[in-house]
């Protein structure tokens, strides 16, 4: 699609791993860059983007409403923010914590705190407070055998949502 991408992680180690993967993919070199920083620092530096993607992060932050306002600030008028996360439901507790952490070992134990999971309704309200309106919502299902995701109708566990920021681009 010709986009220029900035990948961000607060962990320098994670950014170094990403850069190593990038060195192995000549097609992406020059179009993708990585930075060990935070969304808050990018906003403080005056950065803004046409598309902001925040995947499986918000359920780990201390103050989700504040983080949503930061993401809104990073999204240019006419732009889109896309977030994926987990909904706080009994089904998500059983699958994302009991099954994924304790039974299957897909992620380390203690990775998630169910109380920090965010329902689609809560996310919509928090993003609206930052001036973004939900445009689309879909559940997601992970297949650990194929190591791939697919869209589904239920948002009981994992989901992805896109939000528009009004105004001219």
């Amino acid at each position: 699609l010709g986009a220029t991408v900035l990948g961000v992680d607060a962990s320098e180690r994670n950014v170094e791993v990403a850069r190593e993967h990038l060195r192995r993919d000549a097609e992406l070199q020059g179009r993708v860059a990585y930075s060990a920083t935070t969304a808050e620092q990018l906003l403080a530096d005056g950065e803004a983007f046409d598309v902001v993607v925040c995947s499986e992060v918000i359920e780990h932050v201390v103050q989700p409403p504040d983080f949503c306002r930061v993401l809104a600030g990073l999204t240019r008028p006419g732009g889109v923010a896309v977030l994926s996360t987990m909904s706080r439901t009994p089904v998500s507790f059983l699958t994302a914590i009991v099954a994924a952490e304790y039974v299957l070992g897909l992620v380390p134990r203690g990775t998630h705190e169910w109380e920090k999971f965010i329902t689609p309704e809560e996310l919509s309200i928090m993003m609206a407070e930052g001036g973004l309106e939900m445009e689309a919502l879909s559940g997601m299902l992970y297949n650990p055998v194929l190591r791939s995701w697919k869209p589904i109708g239920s948002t009981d566990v994992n989901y992805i949502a896109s939000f528009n920021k009004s105004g001219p681009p």
Side-chain angles (χ1 to χ4, degrees):
L1 295 171
T4 301
V5 176
L6 174 63
V8 174
D9 196 296
S11 165
E12 182 66 47
R13 182 185 183 296
N14 291 348
V15 167
E16 283 307 314
V17 169
R19 287 178 180 147
E20 181 56 36
H21 287 274
L22 179 61
R23 284 189 275 279
R24 298 177 191 171
D25 193 336
E27 187 178 321
L28 295 179
Q29 291 176 10
R31 293 187 358 196
V32 176
Y34 293 100
S35 179
T37 189
T38 63
E40 292 82 1
Q41 188 59 54
L42 288 171
L43 185 61
D45 292 344
E47 296 286 351
F49 304 91
D50 295 323
V51 178
V52 173
V53 178
C54 180
S55 186
E56 306 300 317
V57 173
I58 194 165
E59 69 271 16
H60 300 284
V61 302
V62 176
Q63 292 292 330
D66 293 342
F67 188 67
C68 287
R69 282 189 284 279
V70 169
L71 296 177
L74 289 171
T75 307
R76 287 188 178 121
V80 176
V82 179
L83 285 81
S84 65
T85 190
M86 288 179 265
S87 190
R88 192 180 55 261
T89 66
V91 176
S92 72
F93 181 80
L94 290 173
T95 58
I97 295 181
V98 175
E101 293 186 17
Y102 290 87
V103 176
L104 300 174
L106 295 174
V107 294
R109 289 181 179 189
T111 297
H112 298 107
E113 297 174 51
W114 182 78
E115 298 79 12
K116 292 178 115 180
F117 289 5
I118 298 168
T119 68
E121 296 79 14
E122 291 167 341
L123 183 60
S124 181
I125 291 167
M126 288 186 279
M127 294 298 279
E129 290 172 355
L132 291 125
E133 181 179 347
M134 186 183 284
E135 175 70 20
L137 173 68
S138 176
M140 300 187 317
L141 179 65
Y142 182 67
N143 182 326
V145 175
L146 298 176
R147 295 175 49 180
S148 65
W149 292 91
K150 73 175 187 177
I152 60 172
S154 172
T155 59
D156 283 348
V157 182
N158 294 85
Y159 66 93
I160 189 165
S162 66
F163 300 85
N164 294 333
K165 187 170 189 177
S166 62

